[in-house]
Amino acid sequence: MKLTDSHAHLNDERFRQDYAQVLARARAAGVTTIINVGYDLASSAAACDLAEKTEGLYAAVGIHPHDAASYTEETACMLRKLAAHPKVVALGEIGLDYYYNYSPRDVQQEVFRRQLRLARELSLPVIIHDRDAHDDVYRILCEENAREAGGVLHCFSGGAAFAAQCLQLGFYLSLAGPVTFKNAGELLEVAKMVPPERLLIETDAPYLAPVPYRGRRNEPAYVRLVAEKIAALRGMEPEEVAELTSRNARAVFSLDQIV
Ligand code: NI
């Protein structure tokens, strides 16, 4: 089975001690491709470093809504520089987080818009973080013509109606550990309704470990459990889910164009 973890943070300091073992376990589980996603400038640069050193690893660079208040013209300038790296495949993660509200909402929205424009300027797809902000995320994606950049709603947490809206906009939906949780609720419906050509899977490691590791540090090897759960829900073989989600990741992030 060949799996793609479309969203992980091996650039996080929680992997500094045992990065090599984590990567070895991912390989042993069949995870051939991992997109490491930045959330501030330091983690974006770290994602580029890891991608440069390791086959099958790629990077996304961007400023998380938690850090929106730190975003300046200089930040944009640094992101442009980082994005020039040949293994940078997306701008992310960017978006809105109305659960924690670490940055004021109006600031989050403005920085989200600026990074969506940057993605269009750089012709990169976007990786969207949306927590408790579905309506504003959707409105801003429409207003900023994000369809042109394309991309993925990572760790999708909405219901079937919101999923349909995002699919209509041309976006991919990525499912993570929560689809395995007892309280997965509407996610079970979403896992069944996403067209096969728009589905991605991820870990969001070190966060959101799937059952039976819930509450522990997550790692890319566990993306297999997400694939297995979705396969069970859709009446497919895990291998098929692994194959189609890997194919979709190659498409949305244009991985075949990277030498
Ligand atoms: Ni993330």
Side-chain angles (χ1 to χ4, degrees):
M1 183 175 341
K2 280 188 182 168
L3 290 148
T4 297
D5 184 353
S6 75
H7 189 116
H9 302 286
L10 293 183
N11 45 349
D12 191 279
E13 62 178 22
R14 268 160 282 188
F15 292 111
R16 202 166 296 163
Q17 292 284 319
D18 60 347
Y19 172 73
Q21 289 99 302
V22 168
L23 197 61
R25 284 197 292 271
R27 299 290 193 233
V31 182
T32 59
T33 307
I34 302 169
I35 317 292
N36 283 310
V37 182
Y39 38 91
D40 56 16
L41 282 177
S43 60
S44 296
C48 293
D49 279 346
L50 295 179
E52 193 163 312
K53 281 187 232 149
T54 319
E55 210 194 319
L57 265 57
Y58 301 89
V61 300
I63 308 299
H64 194 282
H66 288 344
D67 276 311
S70 75
Y71 195 95
T72 62
E73 224 5 83
E74 202 187 328
T75 315
C77 195
M78 294 298 294
L79 287 176
R80 271 193 198 90
K81 276 189 193 145
L82 289 169
H85 191 286
K87 288 183 93 176
V88 169
V89 298
L91 205 83
E93 55 188 287
I94 65 175
L96 302 175
D97 193 310
Y98 291 176
Y99 181 78
Y100 286 108
N101 291 305
Y102 287 156
S103 289
R105 291 184 181 187
D106 58 330
V107 176
Q108 290 189 42
Q109 291 183 20
E110 179 56 24
V111 169
F112 184 29
R113 287 180 189 279
R114 284 165 75 174
Q115 291 187 97
L116 287 170
R117 289 171 209 157
L118 184 60
R120 286 173 54 201
E121 173 198 318
L122 299 171
S123 298
L124 283 173
V126 289
I127 297 174
I128 308 289
H129 172 101
D130 159 30
R131 184 134 189 221
D132 292 354
H134 306 327
D135 291 349
D136 281 353
V137 162
Y138 181 72
R139 181 173 53 80
I140 290 171
L141 288 176
C142 291
E143 287 172 4
E144 296 297 335
N145 196 16
R147 174 191 287 279
E148 210 173 273
V152 47
L153 277 101
H154 112 81
C155 192
F156 186 80
S157 59
F162 181 56
Q165 283 185 301
C166 297
L167 291 165
Q168 193 79 40
L169 259 191
F171 275 74
Y172 290 71
L173 305 186
S174 180
L175 295 176
V179 76
T180 70
F181 295 174
K182 259 207 187 87
N183 58 352
E186 286 189 300
L187 279 181
L188 302 177
E189 202 47 52
V190 172
K192 286 188 261 186
M193 60 82 79
V194 182
E197 68 279 6
R198 295 289 193 80
L199 181 66
L200 295 175
I201 53 174
E202 64 171 85
T203 56
D204 201 18
Y207 311 103
L208 296 170
V211 171
Y213 302 106
R214 189 172 182 183
R216 315 235 302 256
R217 186 188 69 170
N218 199 0
E219 59 178 71
Y222 302 161
V223 78
R224 191 186 191 111
L225 297 162
V226 178
E228 285 169 358
K229 176 69 184 189
I230 292 174
L233 288 166
R234 295 175 75 108
M236 296 169 75
E237 292 302 320
E239 287 78 8
E240 291 177 86
V241 172
E243 159 63 27
L244 73 90
T245 52
S246 290
R247 193 188 324 129
N248 294 340
R250 287 204 299 278
V252 67
F253 299 125
S254 302
L255 300 186
D256 292 334
Q257 288 171 35
I258 296 164
V259 248

PDB file of all heavy atoms in Angstrom, residues 7 9 93 154 204, ligand 1:
ATOM      1  N   HIS A   7      -0.859  16.266   4.904  1.00  0.00           N
ATOM      2  CA  HIS A   7      -0.702  17.389   5.842  1.00  0.00           C
ATOM      3  C   HIS A   7      -0.105  16.886   7.146  1.00  0.00           C
ATOM      4  O   HIS A   7      -0.770  16.201   7.936  1.00  0.00           O
ATOM      5  CB  HIS A   7      -2.070  18.037   6.107  1.00  0.00           C
ATOM      6  CG  HIS A   7      -2.012  19.325   6.869  1.00  0.00           C
ATOM      7  ND1 HIS A   7      -2.418  20.530   6.335  1.00  0.00           N
ATOM      8  CD2 HIS A   7      -1.608  19.604   8.126  1.00  0.00           C
ATOM      9  CE1 HIS A   7      -2.267  21.493   7.229  1.00  0.00           C
ATOM     10  NE2 HIS A   7      -1.777  20.957   8.335  1.00  0.00           N
ATOM     11  N   HIS A   9       3.213  17.944  10.249  1.00  0.00           N
ATOM     12  CA  HIS A   9       4.145  18.972  10.734  1.00  0.00           C
ATOM     13  C   HIS A   9       5.368  18.294  11.346  1.00  0.00           C
ATOM     14  O   HIS A   9       5.630  18.428  12.548  1.00  0.00           O
ATOM     15  CB  HIS A   9       3.470  19.871  11.771  1.00  0.00           C
ATOM     16  CG  HIS A   9       2.236  20.557  11.287  1.00  0.00           C
ATOM     17  ND1 HIS A   9       2.279  21.619  10.409  1.00  0.00           N
ATOM     18  CD2 HIS A   9       0.931  20.335  11.527  1.00  0.00           C
ATOM     19  CE1 HIS A   9       1.037  22.021  10.147  1.00  0.00           C
ATOM     20  NE2 HIS A   9       0.198  21.254  10.808  1.00  0.00           N
ATOM     21  N   GLU A  93      -0.194  26.637   6.214  1.00  0.00           N
ATOM     22  CA  GLU A  93      -1.615  26.681   6.210  1.00  0.00           C
ATOM     23  C   GLU A  93      -2.115  28.077   6.571  1.00  0.00           C
ATOM     24  O   GLU A  93      -1.552  28.743   7.441  1.00  0.00           O
ATOM     25  CB  GLU A  93      -2.210  25.640   7.175  1.00  0.00           C
ATOM     26  CG  GLU A  93      -1.706  25.726   8.624  1.00  0.00           C
ATOM     27  CD  GLU A  93      -2.205  24.538   9.446  1.00  0.00           C
ATOM     28  OE1 GLU A  93      -3.395  24.484   9.783  1.00  0.00           O
ATOM     29  OE2 GLU A  93      -1.365  23.649   9.730  1.00  0.00           O
ATOM     30  N   HIS A 154      -8.079  21.512   4.744  1.00  0.00           N
ATOM     31  CA  HIS A 154      -7.395  20.469   5.489  1.00  0.00           C
ATOM     32  C   HIS A 154      -8.148  20.171   6.774  1.00  0.00           C
ATOM     33  O   HIS A 154      -8.826  21.036   7.319  1.00  0.00           O
ATOM     34  CB  HIS A 154      -5.937  20.886   5.717  1.00  0.00           C
ATOM     35  CG  HIS A 154      -5.570  21.185   7.119  1.00  0.00           C
ATOM     36  ND1 HIS A 154      -5.262  20.187   8.011  1.00  0.00           N
ATOM     37  CD2 HIS A 154      -5.447  22.334   7.785  1.00  0.00           C
ATOM     38  CE1 HIS A 154      -4.964  20.749   9.176  1.00  0.00           C
ATOM     39  NE2 HIS A 154      -5.076  22.034   9.071  1.00  0.00           N
ATOM     40  N   ASP A 204      -2.178  15.516  10.130  1.00  0.00           N
ATOM     41  CA  ASP A 204      -2.009  16.760  10.888  1.00  0.00           C
ATOM     42  C   ASP A 204      -1.112  16.502  12.108  1.00  0.00           C
ATOM     43  O   ASP A 204      -1.224  17.177  13.131  1.00  0.00           O
ATOM     44  CB  ASP A 204      -3.345  17.384  11.315  1.00  0.00           C
ATOM     45  CG  ASP A 204      -3.226  18.875  11.639  1.00  0.00           C
ATOM     46  OD1 ASP A 204      -2.221  19.501  11.226  1.00  0.00           O
ATOM     47  OD2 ASP A 204      -4.124  19.412  12.309  1.00  0.00           O
TER      48      ASP A 204
HETATM   49 NI    NI B   1      -1.930  21.626  10.465  1.00  0.00          NI
END
